[in-house]
Amino acid sequence: MAAMKNKRSSDTLGNWPLFLRHLYGNMAYNPHRISSRQPIGISPNPWVNALGWAVGLIVACGIVIINSETHTDWAPTILYITLLLMAANLFSINLVISVAVMCILLLTSIYVYNGGYHRWESTTGFFRCLTALSAITFLALRSKFAADTLRHNEAYLIGAQRLSRTGSVTFSGDSEEMSWSDELARIFEYPLGMEPTATMIMERTHPDDRYLATEVFAQAARHEPAIEVKHRLLMPDGRIKHIHMLASPQSVQKGRVEYLGAVMDVTAAKQAEEALFRAQTELAHVTRVTSLGELAASIAHEVNQPLTAITSSGEACRRWIDRSEPDLHEARLSLDRIISSACRASDVISRVRALSRKSDPVRTSESLDDIVSETLGLVQHELAHHKISPKVDLTITNVPINADRVQLQQVIINLLINACHAMDAVKVRDRVLHVRTRVENNEAVLEVTDHGSGIDPAVLPSLFTPFFTTKESGLGMGLSICRSIIDFHGGRMWVHSEVSHGTTFCFALPVLTVEASAPTAVTHTNV
Ligand code: ADP
């Protein structure tokens, strides 16, 4: 970090007189000085133009005087060359060619007019001047062409930087020098002419992300081949910006490795991603509440069972106490049964509350088998209502996955309810639902197989598309949300189906490794 301090960026023409800078300005270019203030091919300052022309005029007068006194060939040639170089800087290529042709014609006419072809020295002098003039014309045109191309590219780059909100920066881990483009100054919201410093960068970096910025310079000091960082900026008015930088070593000067980086303001994309995430979370919540509505009978049954057990154990307890000789031991056993039934009821209620609650997903180490068993508990009445016999084969109880319990329950509920609907039309004895878990290629896999109507191969590709439904009262969001939840968990989801034979929906989630088992609160990932 100490490597960066306030320092003027190098400008090779920095100490030249203004008119000479202007005269030769096109031929030198500093790529780090990307400025949007200087339009292409137009001189930056009319006074500099006037000064250039005035100097040219003085040189011309001087040459005419010298020429009239000495009658040498080189004096007008120098005039023409000066004229040519000035034209090369000020005018378009066509005009420069015209000036060059005019100079050559003038040189030739003077040679002819003076009858120089009668004298051997004049003829050789004329050809020497002609060669010099032609060579300079060629070089001036080539450099003019290169400078024009460079300026056009610069203009495109400035345009691209503004449109894509990307700035460029040069820095080094070994020295204090750094520079940036106007667009980057705009992103950091500093005045355009201001020289960048480490303090300025740190001032704008979000306090929680400063260690990331420090690490960038540490990486540059270690001469790492590529540096990438994403961090937040905190503007003085409290706005947060997100930036993404990629930098790589560009040149080595005096043992100093200079990095050239592109810094993109990704705030808009980040905000869109966060808005999408919020919308998807809300949609997932709405569909979860909708499926809870569908499970209302099942849930009521789940709560009712322990309540019935509480009532009958309470009555039994009273009978044990009301005896002429109260049996306190039996009464205590009845009370224990009441307590455990009450706990069961409260358990169901808290599961339902968790499903109906609107909260940000939090992934922790979970057992897929536990989640499946708990979900089956919630839908068992629904299965019974549809006269479905579940065949459950859960074999991976001790295999951890990194999951948000509520979200996975939502996926499983959706698959089970769809299976119930698909088997409504088949004979009761065929209504078998297989729920299996296994580990395959370091992934925990859940398989839900029904023997229902199956899915037409023509609609299979649209199955996970939002709002695709074949049900009269269907919303068509269930499977699309299931897939985004599984994607969000770093897993994948797929389906096999045979018309009139049934359908198998599967999803696979990566098995959690020990070092990755810390809880992760997610704030900006889809779903
Ligand atoms: P919805 O249930 O509201 O229609 P889903 O996204 O859950 O929305 O399902 C989309 C469509 O996929 C269903 O309308 C149905 O046609 C088909 N589908 C889903 N699961 C099955 C299944 N197990 N068997 C047959 N078709 C199914």
Side-chain angles (χ1 to χ4, degrees):
M1 197 66 254
M4 287 172 61
K5 272 217 187 121
N6 194 354
K7 180 161 191 319
R8 289 200 136 270
S9 68
S10 59
D11 182 341
T12 44
L13 298 177
N15 302 321
W16 289 37
L18 267 184
F19 75 94
L20 281 181
R21 268 175 88 167
H22 180 56
L23 190 60
Y24 292 99
N26 275 335
M27 293 157 204
Y29 173 72
N30 180 352
H32 309 319
R33 281 262 139 255
I34 300 166
S35 164
S36 53
R37 284 162 291 171
Q38 186 174 328
I40 313 157
I42 299 173
S43 307
N45 183 346
W47 289 107
V48 176
N49 264 347
L51 187 64
W53 281 108
V55 170
L57 213 64
I58 293 165
V59 172
C61 293
I63 283 167
V64 169
I65 293 164
I66 294 167
N67 197 34
S68 58
E69 292 302 315
T70 61
H71 297 287
T72 50
D73 298 323
W74 53 265
T77 310
I78 290 174
L79 172 65
Y80 298 145
I81 288 170
T82 312
L83 224 140
L84 201 66
L85 288 176
M86 287 179 72
N89 189 45
L90 295 174
F91 305 133
S92 68
I93 287 190
N94 285 347
L95 223 60
V96 176
I97 294 172
S98 311
V99 170
V101 169
M102 200 187 75
C103 291
I104 290 170
L105 282 178
L106 273 173
L107 192 74
T108 315
S109 356
I110 291 170
Y111 166 69
V112 175
Y113 179 76
N114 288 341
Y117 45 86
H118 291 306
R119 295 185 301 276
W120 173 245
E121 298 120 58
S122 300
T123 306
T124 51
F126 166 70
F127 279 107
R128 263 200 314 271
C129 291
L130 200 63
T131 312
L133 197 55
S134 309
I136 297 285
T137 304
F138 171 75
L139 289 176
L141 280 174
R142 208 174 68 160
S143 129
K144 167 84 183 156
F145 187 75
D148 278 2
T149 312
L150 208 56
R151 278 180 174 259
H152 273 103
N153 290 344
E154 186 189 345
Y156 292 140
L157 183 63
I158 290 165
Q161 288 207 349
R162 293 219 71 173
L163 283 175
S164 64
R165 300 206 44 73
T166 307
S168 48
V169 62
T170 61
F171 62 95
S172 156
D174 317 312
S175 93
E176 299 174 352
E177 279 183 40
M178 75 177 293
S179 63
W180 63 16
S181 68
D182 285 356
E183 193 51 36
L184 196 55
R186 259 183 226 112
I187 291 171
F188 276 77
E189 296 185 13
Y190 280 116
L192 291 193
M194 219 164 158
E195 295 297 332
T197 66
T199 321
M200 281 161 60
I201 287 174
M202 283 303 175
E203 250 172 34
R204 289 284 195 264
T205 304
H206 193 288
D208 295 348
D209 291 355
R210 280 189 188 144
Y211 73 99
L212 290 170
T214 311
E215 178 56 21
V216 166
F217 296 108
Q219 284 181 334
R222 292 197 296 271
H223 301 172
E224 292 197 0
I227 301 176
E228 180 169 9
V229 70
K230 283 181 189 175
H231 67 77
R232 289 165 298 168
L233 303 181
L234 181 63
M235 294 300 131
D237 57 6
R239 272 174 305 121
I240 300 249
K241 285 187 176 185
H242 295 263
I243 58 165
H244 183 183
M245 186 196 79
L246 282 173
S248 52
Q250 216 50 30
S251 57
V252 182
Q253 279 157 12
K254 296 179 206 145
R256 182 165 69 81
V257 179
E258 188 169 69
Y259 281 76
L260 177 61
V263 183
M264 191 174 201
D265 179 354
V266 291
T267 313
K270 204 83 190 163
Q271 281 167 350
E273 196 185 302
E274 275 165 11
L276 179 68
F277 171 70
R278 272 197 300 278
Q280 283 188 324
T281 310
E282 285 191 3
L283 191 61
H285 174 247
V286 170
T287 50
R288 203 157 61 224
V289 172
T290 311
S291 41
L292 273 184
E294 237 175 291
L295 290 177
S298 196
I299 292 160
H301 178 81
E302 272 287 282
V303 180
N304 211 30
Q305 260 185 344
L307 288 183
T308 317
I310 288 170
T311 316
S312 55
S313 300
E315 279 166 357
C317 180
R318 195 170 52 199
R319 276 196 304 275
W320 292 119
I321 292 171
D322 285 349
R323 277 183 165 200
S324 49
E325 224 174 277
D327 188 337
L328 289 181
H329 174 68
E330 284 299 336
R332 208 169 279 124
L333 288 180
S334 297
L335 279 175
D336 285 348
R337 277 197 296 277
I338 290 174
I339 293 170
S340 84
S341 297
C343 287
R344 243 175 63 210
S346 131
D347 231 40
V348 176
I349 290 166
S350 30
R351 267 183 270 148
V352 173
R353 275 183 59 193
L355 274 170
S356 60
R357 206 177 297 134
K358 199 159 85 180
S359 54
D360 279 344
V362 177
R363 288 193 275 164
T364 48
S365 173
E366 298 276 4
S367 152
L368 182 58
D369 281 5
D370 286 355
I371 298 176
V372 174
S373 321
E374 195 177 294
T375 315
L376 281 167
L378 280 177
V379 296
Q380 69 181 12
H381 184 73
E382 190 67 15
L383 299 177
H385 174 70
H386 286 269
K387 301 188 173 58
I388 288 168
S389 335
K391 298 255 183 289
V392 182
D393 186 12
L394 306 179
T395 56
I396 55 168
T397 313
N398 297 323
V399 176
I401 53 166
N402 194 20
D404 179 88
R405 202 174 181 86
V406 168
Q407 285 199 330
L408 279 200
Q409 279 181 340
Q410 177 171 4
V411 174
I412 299 164
I413 289 175
N414 197 74
L415 298 183
L416 296 177
I417 292 179
N418 277 348
C420 290
H421 292 160
M423 286 195 281
D424 272 347
V426 302
K427 284 193 214 116
V428 170
R429 66 184 152 82
D430 294 336
R431 293 186 193 174
V432 181
L433 177 72
H434 292 276
V435 180
R436 300 184 194 99
T437 54
R438 62 174 190 277
V439 170
E440 207 174 88
N441 300 328
N442 217 26
E443 287 179 318
V445 181
L446 172 75
E447 209 177 85
V448 177
T449 305
D450 63 57
H451 295 92
S453 49
I455 302 168
D456 184 347
V459 306
L460 268 178
S462 345
L463 214 58
F464 293 95
T465 312
F467 303 111
F468 173 82
T469 183
T470 57
K471 298 174 193 167
E472 245 176 51
S473 56
L475 187 61
M477 286 307 295
L479 288 177
S480 125
I481 289 175
C482 286
R483 177 163 273 179
S484 45
I485 288 175
I486 297 300
D487 285 350
F488 157 66
H489 281 80
R492 57 210 170 83
M493 188 170 185
W494 67 98
V495 58
H496 300 294
S497 188
E498 261 184 79
V499 178
S500 334
H501 281 85
T503 307
T504 302
F505 277 95
C506 302
F507 67 73
L509 300 172
V511 170
L512 192 60
T513 50
V514 182
E515 64 271 19
S517 53
T520 36
V522 181
T523 52
H524 53 264
T525 318
N526 292 347
V527 175

